[in-house]
Amino acid sequence: HALPETDKPSEGLPVAKISALHSELPLAAVYALPARTSKEAAEKWQGWFCVSITRQGMLKKSALTELPGASANTFTLAKVNEGDRLGWIRFSNGDNEIMLVTANGAAIRFSEEEVRPMGLAAAGVMGIKLGKDDEVIGAELLPHPGEVFLVASDGSAKRVSIDQFSRQGRYGQGITAWKLPAKVTIAGMAVGEGT
């Protein structure tokens, strides 16, 4: 609510001017939460989770009720190891499946129930065993039914039915989502209904 509305796409304010975040902290994700101004609004938060995923495959699931409300103070949502960085934030009702895809073409699909809820001070759990010089380039909650859309660094793309990715346990090596030529990596992914 502190962000002024504008009609000009070229205008805007640095986040550090309207929040407690410092300008030297790079943003990794931005999301909106419903205000907890009423009992009804607070009840909407019950049973929902904030899932954070890092580039090195660390996952953390925190209850939305654990997050502090609007404040002039910052808080740590997820501890990130040195050399790693936060990549994705997703909101879940706790009943989803999670898919992680790596730059070198591996993918893993597992139940969100394998990631237990943790408090804000906790670090999280690993979601995938990464190969040498690999990193997670995409993390999504899976729709039913749906497709996975993959884009490679050479500009090629493909889409695959979610059913082609077998369910596994968390922290496995996953399966080959795309066998890529040398020096080509997966650049990004999206999931949806194919429309």
Side-chain angles (χ1 to χ4, degrees):
H1 71 277
L3 187 64
E5 205 171 317
T6 179
D7 293 330
K8 297 180 181 177
S10 60
E11 290 182 356
L13 281 176
V15 172
K17 289 198 175 202
I18 56 165
S19 76
L21 293 174
H22 300 290
S23 58
E24 66 272 8
L25 294 174
L27 290 178
V30 177
Y31 54 90
L33 295 173
R36 289 187 273 186
T37 54
S38 68
K39 183 180 177 187
E40 181 182 315
E43 285 174 357
K44 286 182 182 178
W45 289 49
Q46 295 297 326
W48 279 81
F49 301 93
C50 175
V51 181
S52 61
I53 305 110
T54 73
R55 295 286 180 166
Q56 291 300 308
M58 181 75 73
L59 286 91
K60 182 176 174 192
K61 182 165 86 170
S62 301
L64 284 183
T65 53
E66 293 257 332
L67 304 183
S71 167
N73 299 316
T74 61
F75 64 96
T76 300
L77 176 64
K79 290 182 182 176
V80 179
N81 296 329
E82 191 172 331
D84 197 358
R85 63 190 195 274
L86 183 64
W88 301 268
I89 299 288
R90 298 291 180 259
F91 294 106
S92 172
N93 62 3
D95 296 329
N96 292 290
E97 290 184 327
I98 297 171
M99 176 173 274
L100 306 178
V101 174
T102 75
N104 290 342
I108 191 167
R109 172 187 180 186
F110 56 90
S111 171
E112 182 186 340
E113 292 176 356
E114 293 194 44
V115 183
R116 65 177 175 77
M118 302 172 204
L120 293 179
V125 296
M126 293 302 296
I128 187 170
K129 289 182 183 174
L130 293 172
K132 186 180 178 190
D133 301 323
D134 203 1
E135 71 173 355
V136 176
I137 57 83
E140 295 292 346
L141 303 180
L142 297 179
H144 298 281
E147 294 180 343
V148 178
F149 178 67
L150 301 168
V151 179
S153 59
D154 66 354
S156 57
K158 75 174 191 174
R159 59 184 198 169
V160 184
S161 169
I162 286 172
D163 295 336
Q164 296 295 310
F165 298 92
S166 58
R167 290 178 191 87
Q168 300 181 5
R170 178 186 61 79
Y171 198 46
Q173 292 180 331
I175 63 168
T176 301
W178 198 348
K179 192 164 184 165
L180 298 160
K183 297 185 180 179
V184 176
T185 60
I186 296 180
M189 74 169 284
V191 298
E193 296 181 2
T195 55

